[in-house]
Amino acid sequence: MNNTINKKDRSWTEINFSNFEFNILQLKKYVSQDVQYMQIVKADAYGHGAVEISKKAIKCGASFLGVANVEEGKLLRYNNIEIPILILSPSFEDEIETIINNKLTPTISTIKFAEELNEFSKKRKVITKIHINFDTGMGRSGFYYKEAIKKYNQIKEFKHLKIEGIFSHFSSSENNSEFTNIQSNRFENILKNIEKLPKFIHISNSSGVVNFHNKYSNLVRIGLLSYGVYSDKMLEKKIQLKPVMTFKSKISQIKTAEIGDSIGYNRAFITNKKIKYAILPIGYADGYDFLLSNRGKVLINEKICDVIGKVSMDMIAVDITHLKDTKIAENVTLFGGENNEMRVENISSLFNGSSYELLCQIGRRAKRFYYEKEKNVSVSPLLRREFVSSDYPGDKINEIIKKSIEQRFPQKEISKMIYSNILKNYLNEIDQNIYYRKNFIHKIKFEKSLLPEFKDYYKVHTYLTFEKILENDCFFIACAKNEESLQKYFNRNDVEYRWLLDSNFNLKERVFSVENVKINNISLKHDQLVKDDCLEFKCSHSKLGKLIGQEVKFSIETVTYYPKSYHQLSVYITGFTQGASIQFEYEKLLDKVTSVPMFYEKNKNVEIINNKNSINVLIQKDQWILPNSAVIFVY
Ligand SMILES: *Cc1c(COP(=O)(O)O)cnc(C)c1O
């Protein structure tokens, strides 16, 4: 594959999806049709990128994903992956909430954990699916096989847990058929003693799939082999696999050394002839193992070159004496690709290492480029502890912002709206619960003022009803003589109704009155308080305490006066609201009235109904309105 796109990178990995798919197809030949497949994507899919590999695996037919821990599972959910995810290792009790919130399937390896999980599930009123792990000889996590039935029967009693699967794990399926058979027999003995087997029974990892057949299993857990890496030489005869990952870098300097010169730290390599060598800008900090010092091999121009001297943190030297025409910036393969000698198995065997480990540690500073049939289909950025936005393409950034908001807000629709509209206004209030109004009906009626002192005003009768979850046992109705004073009430979420009064008003007179205020059918007390330029009405009732947390119907009815000379009346909607009807009635007092709806959302479906003496602005019941939307009536 050519890499014209990687000009900027010092090292990178290429992930070949076509080879991955090929490997899955080869592996599937070893299992019968009715056996399902779990793609193991722990440790960032063995360094191949868990999100990308999971998505590809789902396309290849995976019905489960296997991860090592809660965080890995959460990351997949964060990326919109929805199929079941099994956490293969034991989880901790303080991870239970995250497990349930993210619909992850935990593995049960202790009774204590099962107990806690059951308790939490009960509290949440959910049934949590679990898989139970039996240690049949791996000697790692899980219940020891001799205690399996006892433990199984204990777990069965937990009413809020559903045993969806039981499994075990081979210790040496790649090269020890004798012990694999012993483990398998122990597993079968457990199964025989279980009356009604759960839905999933699984024991084979990927080499188990090739080397071994277990008649009870209906799920296999495929890891290493799907990445095109043999766990044992013997497997080469049984199955053809193509490496999925290629690790690459490029030449950053070309030099020569005289006889007796030393290369790198501690003079670990001393030349015995004149050589030409290249410096590559990668080292153990990039995951290129220190133990490859004086042992590693790289591929330049289809020719194998030896690593000479110690691997440094950020550089290695390779002997290129035998190469013609090498140039700076020439691509170098560190492992993988089509040359068999460069397979990761062979490179890791140069230092008696594990190819699992080498794959996992690669790419700490490398981007991944995904290829499908030689074509680059996606890029994933460096794994960094901090979020670096310039590493992400625009659409990915959008997804991340959207997801971040979604995780903070309970209502999906609300989060969507915030995202697309007024994100910035709400960032500082993001930790509050959002209470929203439903069926917001606001009727404003202009009447003739009969009082001589208000002859330049219309008398205004307002009727407001809406439904909302009650937050407190009291709330306020507030009005103010100027916008500034009113503004502070906009920031208070215990104020349910606000009104702007004429600045000429004397607040000692009855310029604003609350006629009636109710929650459901309870009429509330409303004590008036004058505060500088403001009037506050505290609305309360001893019965409200019991209604906190419930959805209630608010009704608020007021009377006030409005200057004729204003020629416009603004009705604000200050909180999140679903469905609204705003009606302005003016008897025979006004001639031409128009309404100007001001909603943040573009293309908001607003219906305006003009009647003889009224105008009505309608938003459908299921439609959301953002805070600070308004309708202005102009007369
Ligand atoms: C890692 C793992 C696998 C996958 O093993 P491979 O040898 O990579 O196929 C399967 N099952 C469990 C429990 C594992 O931890």
Side-chain angles (χ1 to χ4, degrees):
M1 265 174 278
N2 59 18
N3 293 292
T4 45
I5 54 172
N6 301 336
K7 288 209 172 72
K8 298 197 305 283
D9 299 288
R10 287 162 181 272
S11 70
W12 65 95
T13 59
E14 292 171 7
I15 309 296
N16 189 323
F17 276 149
S18 306
N19 286 1
F20 177 79
E21 192 167 350
F22 175 87
N23 299 334
I24 295 293
L25 278 174
Q26 303 314 304
L27 285 158
K28 278 190 177 171
K29 291 180 186 164
Y30 283 87
V31 292
S32 56
Q33 287 262 306
D34 51 337
V35 171
Q36 297 192 34
Y37 131 63
M38 177 188 297
Q39 179 66 45
I40 304 299
V41 292
K42 62 192 182 197
D44 208 15
Y46 301 44
H48 293 66
V51 174
E52 303 283 352
I53 291 292
S54 295
K55 288 180 178 169
K56 180 67 187 172
I58 292 168
K59 283 188 196 145
C60 294
S63 50
F64 256 100
L65 297 169
V67 297
N69 55 49
V70 174
E71 290 303 316
E72 290 185 353
K74 197 170 111 184
L75 179 80
L76 298 181
R77 290 287 183 243
Y78 188 80
N79 282 277
N80 294 320
I81 289 167
E82 281 168 1
I83 70 167
I85 297 175
L86 180 65
I87 303 169
L88 300 163
S89 312
S91 302
F92 290 97
E93 282 160 29
D94 57 10
E95 293 173 322
I96 287 175
E97 187 167 2
T98 318
I99 290 176
I100 292 185
N101 287 350
N102 289 283
K103 297 198 169 63
L104 304 173
T105 310
T107 285
I108 304 296
S109 314
T110 67
I111 295 294
K112 182 81 194 328
F113 182 81
E115 245 168 43
E116 297 289 332
L117 185 66
N118 184 60
E119 266 315 296
F120 193 89
S121 306
K122 189 172 165 185
K123 244 192 279 169
R124 279 285 184 87
K125 301 192 174 70
V126 294
I127 306 284
T128 304
K129 288 181 185 167
I130 55 165
H131 286 218
I132 305 176
N133 181 10
F134 294 124
D135 170 13
T136 55
M138 175 72 184
R140 211 173 55 177
S141 59
F143 296 105
Y144 192 51
Y145 68 101
K146 289 182 182 167
E147 299 184 313
I149 292 302
K150 187 174 133 217
K151 301 294 181 184
Y152 183 88
N153 288 334
Q154 265 175 284
I155 295 167
K156 217 172 57 184
E157 294 308 311
F158 293 118
K159 295 283 174 292
H160 285 264
L161 304 183
K162 180 172 171 55
I163 304 173
E164 187 199 40
I166 42 185
F167 75 97
S168 190
H169 191 41
F170 289 137
S171 85
S172 17
S173 58
E174 68 278 17
N175 54 20
N176 187 337
S177 59
E178 198 183 319
F179 192 66
T180 303
N181 276 320
I182 291 174
Q183 280 194 269
S184 175
N185 290 338
R186 287 171 181 171
F187 191 55
E188 285 186 10
N189 272 332
I190 299 170
L191 300 176
K192 277 181 204 148
N193 282 297
I194 290 173
E195 207 174 308
K196 189 172 176 299
L197 287 177
K199 188 168 171 198
F200 293 110
I201 308 293
H202 46 117
I203 187 162
S204 283
N205 62 338
S206 47
S207 35
V209 166
V210 179
N211 280 338
F212 184 77
H213 178 74
N214 177 286
K215 62 174 187 285
Y216 284 92
S217 295
N218 53 15
L219 180 66
V220 290
R221 305 186 303 264
I222 291 181
L224 193 71
L225 300 198
S226 65
Y227 301 108
V229 179
Y230 291 106
S231 40
D232 193 276
K233 269 246 169 293
M234 279 178 353
L235 286 165
E236 287 176 20
K237 293 190 193 77
K238 291 194 171 175
I239 184 168
Q240 192 200 348
L241 299 171
K242 298 183 180 175
V244 175
M245 184 198 288
T246 308
F247 184 31
K248 290 192 172 175
S249 181
K250 59 192 173 197
I251 296 176
S252 57
Q253 191 180 359
I254 294 173
K255 299 173 77 165
T256 50
E258 306 290 330
I259 295 178
D261 279 350
S262 62
I263 313 284
Y265 279 117
N266 310 119
R267 315 195 67 204
F269 183 87
I270 295 179
T271 56
N272 56 11
K273 60 178 202 293
K274 198 176 165 194
I275 62 162
K276 185 163 73 161
Y277 65 106
I279 307 297
L280 310 182
I282 56 119
Y284 53 79
D286 301 88
Y288 196 78
D289 207 286
F290 179 71
L291 295 174
L292 286 164
S293 299
N294 271 331
R295 293 197 185 106
K297 294 190 187 303
V298 306
L299 192 74
I300 304 173
N301 269 336
E302 307 298 319
K303 297 226 164 54
I304 302 281
C305 307
D306 293 332
V307 171
I308 50 177
K310 281 192 178 173
V311 173
S312 305
M313 188 182 283
D314 312 300
M315 276 182 257
I316 57 172
V318 295
D319 187 347
I320 56 166
T321 313
H322 57 305
L323 301 190
K324 294 189 202 102
D325 309 329
T326 28
K327 296 184 294 292
I328 284 179
E330 183 128 30
N331 282 353
V332 179
T333 297
L334 301 161
F335 68 68
E338 272 144 49
N339 187 311
N340 213 38
E341 204 174 332
M342 292 307 295
R343 294 186 82 106
V344 67
E345 305 87 305
N346 296 331
I347 299 299
S348 58
S349 75
L350 294 173
F351 64 101
N352 271 328
S354 139
S355 33
Y356 287 91
E357 184 184 3
L358 194 53
L359 287 173
C360 290
Q361 71 190 33
I362 283 311
R364 288 173 186 157
R365 289 166 166 175
K367 286 185 194 161
R368 297 191 193 101
F369 294 84
Y370 292 88
Y371 290 85
E372 185 104 58
K373 297 196 180 75
E374 310 270 317
K375 200 172 142 248
N376 178 241
V377 288
S378 94
V379 181
S380 85
L382 306 184
L383 278 175
R384 285 190 181 153
R385 296 209 171 83
E386 279 161 297
F387 176 74
V388 182
S389 64
S390 57
D391 272 340
Y392 291 76
D395 53 349
K396 196 137 193 177
I397 293 260
N398 290 345
E399 201 59 43
I400 288 164
I401 296 173
K402 216 156 95 186
K403 278 284 166 189
S404 316
I405 297 171
E406 220 171 277
Q407 291 204 331
R408 292 250 175 133
F409 290 99
Q411 264 81 25
K412 220 172 180 156
E413 294 99 315
I414 291 180
S415 63
K416 263 191 206 153
M417 285 192 305
I418 299 177
Y419 166 67
S420 55
N421 293 278
I422 50 162
L423 178 65
K424 57 182 183 298
N425 293 349
Y426 280 82
L427 277 180
N428 14 1
E429 293 182 27
I430 220 152
D431 284 325
Q432 293 177 10
N433 272 333
I434 292 275
Y435 290 87
Y436 62 93
R437 297 171 171 193
K438 283 195 329 207
N439 298 327
F440 180 89
I441 302 172
H442 199 182
K443 202 155 93 182
I444 294 147
K445 195 168 167 191
F446 273 23
E447 293 160 15
K448 202 166 170 168
S449 161
L450 300 173
L451 301 174
E453 66 267 37
F454 290 127
K455 70 175 171 16
D456 295 332
Y457 296 82
Y458 294 115
K459 186 179 179 186
V460 186
H461 217 122
T462 74
Y463 308 84
L464 172 70
T465 62
F466 57 86
E467 286 140 40
K468 187 182 171 183
I469 290 176
L470 191 66
E471 285 175 72
N472 221 322
D473 62 355
C474 71
F475 61 87
F476 292 87
I477 294 170
C479 35
K481 276 167 56 168
N482 56 61
E483 300 241 12
E484 235 180 343
S485 306
L486 195 65
Q487 194 55 45
K488 66 171 190 260
Y489 294 113
F490 277 98
N491 299 332
R492 267 174 53 177
N493 56 6
D494 59 347
V495 177
E496 294 292 351
Y497 192 74
R498 305 158 188 89
W499 189 269
L500 181 64
L501 296 170
D502 184 22
S503 54
N504 297 319
F505 279 163
N506 176 357
L507 293 185
K508 299 222 166 63
E509 292 171 26
R510 269 177 77 85
V511 291
F512 184 96
S513 62
V514 174
E515 297 294 291
N516 199 343
V517 48
K518 289 204 283 192
I519 293 282
N520 294 345
N521 283 322
I522 309 166
S523 288
L524 311 187
K525 269 200 323 194
H526 43 90
D527 310 317
Q528 178 178 325
L529 200 83
V530 183
K531 272 191 185 173
D532 305 327
D533 283 348
C534 309
L535 281 179
E536 279 180 16
F537 298 84
K538 183 175 176 179
C539 308
S540 61
H541 193 284
S542 57
K543 284 188 185 163
L544 292 191
K546 283 209 185 86
L547 294 173
I548 292 174
Q550 291 182 27
E551 189 176 278
V552 295
K553 181 167 177 175
F554 286 74
S555 320
I556 297 168
E557 201 182 320
T558 71
V559 171
T560 184
Y561 295 88
Y562 198 79
K564 289 181 176 172
S565 58
Y566 274 16
H567 294 291
Q568 69 173 52
L569 172 76
S570 306
V571 180
Y572 282 96
I573 297 182
T574 54
F576 288 107
T577 303
Q578 199 179 29
S581 156
I582 298 158
Q583 187 170 348
F584 180 51
E585 280 185 35
Y586 42 91
E587 291 189 336
K588 287 178 188 128
L589 300 169
L590 304 172
D591 279 347
K592 191 169 182 293
V593 178
T594 52
S595 69
V596 186
M598 310 236 295
F599 295 101
Y600 274 97
E601 305 92 303
K602 284 188 204 124
N603 315 321
K604 177 108 235 152
N605 231 336
V606 182
E607 194 182 347
I608 299 172
I609 302 167
N610 279 294
N611 293 318
K612 193 149 168 260
N613 279 311
S614 73
I615 186 162
N616 194 0
V617 177
L618 276 172
I619 310 274
Q620 291 298 314
K621 254 190 157 83
D622 59 342
Q623 289 221 25
W624 287 95
I625 305 158
L626 286 177
N628 302 328
S629 297
V631 179
I632 303 168
F633 296 101
V634 184
Y635 55 86

